[in-house]
Amino acid sequence: QVQLVESGGGSVETGASLRLSCQASAPSGYSLRSYCLGWFRQGAGNEREGIAVIDSDGSTYYGDFVKGRFAISKDNAKDIVYLQMDSLKPEDTATYICTAVMPPQYCEGGWWRTFTGSNLWGQGTQVTVSS
């Protein structure tokens, strides 16, 4: 079973930057290279929304609200997915959750934003942005 562990959250002021990390791990001999990994977030009282995903060949896909402030990347050698967040706003306050999109093909077709019932999830890391 793939496990996802997030880190890098915290409390910052408006305009600051944060980089979140998601360490993916799998049983010995199991490759993560075919997975599409990404980030969602969920603020208090809000539905979970998709931020970005990156698929096995490095193609990236973003949620409509991102508008250039966030960037997803990955280190294949370390099985880590990053989310660089710049110009943070109070409305970015949320729990940020790493995910493995299932099936991975959902990333390319855009289905990753809405069809999440089979995804694997981390526990999340809290980001709080104060004004």
Side-chain angles (χ1 to χ4, degrees), residues 72-86:
I72 191 170
S73 61
K74 66 178 179 177
D75 184 331
N76 282 327
K78 298 179 180 179
D79 289 329
I80 297 176
V81 177
Y82 301 101
L83 183 68
Q84 177 67 40
M85 305 188 295
D86 299 322

Side-chain angles (χ1 to χ4, degrees), residues 38-62:
W39 293 90
F40 279 65
R41 71 181 185 183
Q42 187 166 18
N46 297 329
E47 293 186 355
R48 190 173 292 183
E49 61 180 348
I51 303 171
V53 294
I54 183 165
D55 68 14
S56 58
D57 67 5
S59 297
T60 58
Y61 306 92
Y62 291 91

Side-chain angles (χ1 to χ4, degrees), residues 1 40 48 99-104 106 110-121:
Q1 179 76 348
F40 279 65
R48 190 173 292 183
T99 190
V101 177
M102 301 300 287
Y106 276 12
W111 302 109
W112 65 273
R113 296 183 184 90
T114 52
F115 291 92
T116 61
S118 298
N119 285 17
L120 306 175
W121 301 96

